Amino acid sequence: MSDASSMSLIEVRDAIRNGDLTAESAASSCLHAISDRDGGIGAFLQVFDDAALESARAVDRGERTGSLAGVPIALKDNICLNHGRTTCASRMLETYESPFTATAAQRLIDAGAVIIGKTNLDEFAMGSSTENSAFHITRNPVAPDRVPGGSSGGSAAAVAAGFVPGALGSDTGGSIRQPAALTGVVGMKPTYGRVSRWGLVAFASSLDQIGPFGRTVADVALLMDVIAGFDELDSTSSPRAGMAVSPTLSEPVGKLRIGVPRQVRSEHNHPAVVRALDAAITTCTSMGAEVVDVDLPRLDDGIAAYYVVATAEASSNLARFDGIRYGHRAALSAGEGLEDLYARSRAEGFGPEVQRRIMLGTYALSSGYYDAYYRTAMQVRRLIRDEFDAIFASGVHAVMMPSTANPAFRIGEKVDDPLQMYLEDLYTVTANLAGVPAISVPAGVTTEEEGDGTALPVAMQFVGPVGGDEVVLRVGAEFEGGRVEG
Amino acid sequence: MEPMAHELSHDEARHVARLARLALSDEALESQRVQLGAILEYVERLRKLDLDGVEPMTHAGAPDHTSGMESNRWDADEPGPALDNDTLMRIAPAIHPPFIRVPKVIDGGGGGA
C-alpha cells in the first residue's frame, strides 16, 4: 500500500484517482501518523477520526467527486467548520461550535477533500511562533526544540511532518509564509480579495487572507484553484473569476524580470539567508530571468505601520467577544453588572498577547492619538503600496526577497519580548499592507553547525502585483524546479 | 500633530484597559504597560517620515493588474438569512429560551445575571 504521508498532494490525488490508493487508506495513514507522532509535535487541536474516514469512504463509493477527491486536508482552527469546535486556540472559544462553514473550507469539501482536523495557531492568529496558543505549543518537525513559526504553525507543521499533504492557514502579516519558511514547506498569501474571508474569524480585516500550504508549488497551485474565486458573502471578494493555473503551471513564464529590493540585502540576515539569496539570484539567472535591483525604501517602516493598522482593526473586530452571545462568560459576583460581565469575560478569555494587541489598537484609535498613530500608519501603508506599484510598473514581474531574516528560533527565545517577536515579520508584512500576492518557497538550509546539529530551512518569497497570483505561482514553480544550491 | 508620549502612565494604561473592556489585575496591567511602552517607542519612527500630502490607504481593495476590477463593493442594505433560535440557544453561554440571559442593565445594572 502506498503511504500517503510521504507523497505530495498531487501524488495522493492521482493515486486515488488511478485506483492505486483508496481515499480511506489515505485518510487512515494520515490519522495513524498523527496518533503515532503528533504527541511530540502538537500540530493539531482536534482530529476528526470517524468523520474523516466516513467522508473518505464516500469518495471510495463514488458519492463524492472533484479535483481533490479523497485528498486529506487540515484547517487552521480560526477557519469555521460546522463540525467539531472552532477555538482560535483561545479560552474564549474553547467550546465554540460554529454553525457555519467558511467558504474556502466549503470549496475544499465540495471538491472532494477529506478534512482531517483543525490545527494549532497563536491565539486569534496573533503571533509568530505558535507559542501563544491557549492549549499547547507546536514544535518544528525539522528541529523539535525550535518553533514552527506562526501564527499558522500547526498547519505548517502538519504538512512538514507528513501528517497531511496540504492545509489551509491565514496570513495577516506573514502567518502562512513565515511558518512555511521555518518548516521547509511552500505557503502562499493570495492577493487581498482573491480568496473569500467569509468564515475566517477576523483579526485585521483589511490584511487577513486565507491561503494554502503544500509540499510543492504545484500542490499549492491546485489548492488555490479550488479556494480562489468570487464570494458574495465577502464584500471585499474580488469579482474576478476563479483560478485555473494548475494545468498550465509548468509552462515557461517567458522572459522574466525579477526585482530584488536593495533593502533586503541586510546585515541582519542570517548567513544562511545571505547565501540562499545569492543562490536564488543565480537560480533565477539560470532560468533565463533578468535580475534587477529595485527599491522598497519604506520596507523597514512596515512593521511599525503594520502593528498600528492590524491592532486597530483587531481592537474593533474582537469587540464582538463580550461573553453575551457566544464564547466564554465570566461568573459574576453579587453586585457586579453588565460592564463587569464584558470586562471580566474578556480578561479571562483572552491571553496576554491578544489583550496587548487589543490595548495597542484601542490606544491608537483613542481620542487625541488617532491622527498620530492610525492615520500616519495608513499613510505609510500608501507609500508601501505605491513603491510596489512603481516596481511592477517598471516591467518587473515578481519581487524576490527572503521570507524571513533568520531560520527557526528556539522555543521560549522570544516569548518575553513581544517587539522582537514582531520584528520576525519584517519581510512579510509589506505584502499584506499592499494587498499583493506572495508565495514562500524553500531556498536552502543552514549548515548543521549553524543549526546546532540540524540543517534548518530558509526560504525566498516571490511577491507579485495585485491579482498576479498566477504569476507568483508560475515563477515559484520554475524556481523550485531549477533551484541551484548555495 | 499632537505630541506622543510613548511612556504610558499607570492611569493611562488603566484608562485604555477600561476602553478595551479588559478587567486586568494590577500586575497584568503593569506588564502590559511596560510592553506597550516599548512598542509605542518603536512605532515612533513613523513620525519622522515626511508624509505631507500622502493620502491614507484606508482599505486594501485595488484595481486588479489585469482586469482593472476593484475588490471592494457596496451591498444593498437588505436583510438576509439569519441564524435560527435553536442555533443561537446552542452557542450562547447562558440562556432562558428563547432568550439569552444577561445581567440587569437598568436601575444601575447592579446584581448578577
Side-chain angles (χ1 to χ4, degrees):
Chain A
M1 191 184 78
S2 309
D3 179 8
S5 69
S6 61
M7 297 160 75
S8 77
L9 187 149
I10 287 180
E11 286 168 347
V12 172
R13 194 271 308 261
D14 291 347
I16 293 169
R17 201 176 261 186
N18 299 334
D20 297 334
L21 184 71
T22 63
E24 184 178 2
S25 62
S28 178
S29 75
C30 290
L31 294 169
H32 279 126
I34 294 165
S35 77
D36 286 350
R37 294 190 285 120
D38 198 38
I41 293 176
F44 282 87
L45 289 174
Q46 283 174 93
V47 181
F48 303 135
D49 298 73
D50 294 343
L53 289 171
E54 182 44 43
S55 159
R57 285 191 286 262
V59 172
D60 291 331
R61 291 193 300 266
E63 295 161 15
R64 302 182 65 229
T65 56
S67 63
L68 294 173
V71 174
I73 301 282
L75 300 177
K76 185 178 183 179
D77 204 22
N78 61 350
I79 298 172
C80 288
L81 192 65
N82 66 357
H83 174 80
R85 296 179 301 280
T86 299
T87 69
C88 293
S90 179
R91 296 280 172 215
M92 180 60 85
L93 292 176
E94 190 166 5
T95 61
Y96 177 67
E97 295 179 0
S98 171
F100 310 102
T101 293
T103 298
Q106 190 61 50
R107 287 183 182 207
L108 293 177
I109 294 165
D110 291 347
V114 172
I115 307 300
I116 292 288
K118 303 293 281 294
T119 57
N120 200 15
L121 62 149
D122 287 298
E123 184 179 359
F124 283 101
M126 297 179 182
S128 306
S129 68
T130 317
E131 292 168 292
N132 290 334
S133 168
F135 304 120
H136 54 76
I137 63 165
T138 298
R139 295 175 182 277
N140 191 324
V142 179
D145 62 330
R146 296 188 182 245
V147 303
S151 66
S152 313
S155 286
V159 174
F163 296 154
V164 282
L168 294 189
S170 65
D171 191 316
T172 305
S175 281
I176 291 173
R177 291 160 288 152
Q178 185 253 16
L182 270 42
T183 58
V185 301
V186 179
M188 174 162 173
K189 182 202 93 75
T191 296
Y192 184 79
R194 202 72 197 268
V195 175
S196 172
R197 290 183 296 110
W198 196 78
L200 171 68
V201 178
F203 160 15
S205 304
S206 80
L207 302 161
D208 296 338
Q209 270 292 282
I210 290 175
F213 288 93
R215 290 190 198 129
T216 67
V217 176
D219 289 354
V220 164
L222 179 59
L223 290 171
M224 278 297 294
D225 282 350
V226 172
I227 63 173
F230 176 71
D231 179 15
E232 65 179 3
L233 297 172
D234 174 359
S235 66
T236 60
S237 176
S238 166
R240 267 187 86 159
M243 276 177 64
V245 71
S246 281
T248 58
L249 187 68
S250 57
E251 283 180 9
V253 186
K255 183 60 188 172
L256 253 188
R257 184 183 280 193
I258 305 264
V260 178
R262 289 184 180 85
Q263 291 75 15
V264 306
R265 294 176 189 276
S266 161
E267 64 193 76
H268 300 301
N269 290 343
H270 186 278
V273 172
V274 173
R275 293 194 302 272
L277 179 58
D278 289 342
I281 291 169
T282 305
T283 299
C284 290
T285 309
S286 69
M287 282 157 49
E290 179 189 0
V291 180
V292 296
D293 288 335
V294 295
D295 274 305
L296 278 175
R298 296 277 76 79
L299 179 85
D300 284 346
D301 295 312
I303 293 286
Y306 171 82
Y307 276 92
V308 173
V309 171
T311 60
E313 294 186 21
S315 73
S316 170
N317 272 324
L318 272 61
R320 73 192 64 184
F321 299 103
D322 57 7
I324 301 294
R325 292 153 300 157
Y326 47 80
H328 175 75
R329 179 183 286 201
L332 294 188
S333 309
E336 292 186 310
L338 188 65
E339 181 97 354
D340 302 301
L341 179 64
Y342 296 151
R344 288 196 35 214
S345 297
R346 291 162 62 79
E348 292 172 9
F350 292 137
E353 181 59 31
V354 174
Q355 293 180 354
R356 178 153 45 246
R357 295 199 195 192
I358 291 172
M359 287 181 72
L360 182 58
T362 301
Y363 181 74
L365 292 177
S366 64
S367 178
Y369 294 105
Y370 178 93
D371 279 354
Y373 287 106
Y374 188 59
R375 190 172 192 281
T376 300
M378 288 194 299
Q379 287 176 301
V380 175
R381 187 176 186 182
R382 169 74 61 193
L383 293 180
I384 288 170
R385 167 60 157 280
D386 288 349
E387 289 171 6
F388 273 112
D389 284 350
I391 290 170
F392 295 123
S394 76
V396 166
H397 298 90
V399 169
M400 180 172 76
M401 53 178 154
S403 302
T404 62
N406 293 291
F409 46 95
R410 282 181 204 81
I411 290 165
E413 189 177 328
K414 301 192 182 190
V415 83
D416 294 326
D417 191 344
L419 183 57
Q420 282 309 309
M421 190 75 90
Y422 295 177
L423 291 169
E424 272 299 297
D425 301 334
L426 174 66
Y427 292 144
T428 49
V429 293
T430 51
N432 302 81
L433 289 167
V436 295
I439 189 169
S440 177
V441 183
V445 289
T446 65
T447 63
E448 291 196 356
E449 201 171 21
E450 287 166 343
D452 289 339
T454 308
L456 301 170
V458 297
M460 290 294 135
Q461 54 176 339
F462 294 94
V463 185
V466 171
D469 305 75
E470 291 90 343
V471 175
V472 299
L473 283 161
R474 287 207 171 91
V475 174
E478 196 166 340
F479 174 80
E480 177 187 58
R483 192 154 69 75
V484 176
E485 296 294 336
Chain B
M1 210 178 273
E2 293 294 314
M4 296 199 295
H6 44 72
E7 179 78 4
L8 284 187
S9 69
H10 177 84
D11 286 350
E12 283 174 312
R14 182 57 76 192
H15 177 63
V16 173
R18 158 85 179 67
L19 291 176
R21 301 292 185 269
L22 289 168
L24 301 185
S25 67
D26 283 340
E27 189 187 3
L29 187 75
E30 178 58 18
S31 163
Q32 295 290 12
R33 187 187 74 80
V34 172
Q35 299 289 4
L36 287 169
I39 297 163
L40 290 169
E41 186 177 343
Y42 178 78
V43 168
E44 190 81 354
R45 60 187 289 137
L46 298 181
R47 296 236 303 158
K48 302 189 176 101
L49 302 174
D50 178 9
L51 298 170
D52 275 358
V54 177
E55 188 65 21
M57 180 169 158
T58 55
H59 66 85
D64 187 286
H65 86 296
T66 51
S67 66
M69 291 189 286
E70 282 258 7
S71 69
N72 261 356
R73 69 170 196 274
W74 292 98
D75 283 342
D77 188 12
E78 291 166 354
L83 292 176
D84 58 62
N85 190 264
D86 285 350
T87 303
L88 292 170
M89 292 300 103
R90 183 171 61 74
I91 61 179
I95 58 174
H96 183 87
F99 304 109
I100 290 171
R101 193 182 272 277
V102 292
K104 189 176 177 185
V105 292
I106 51 175
D107 295 340

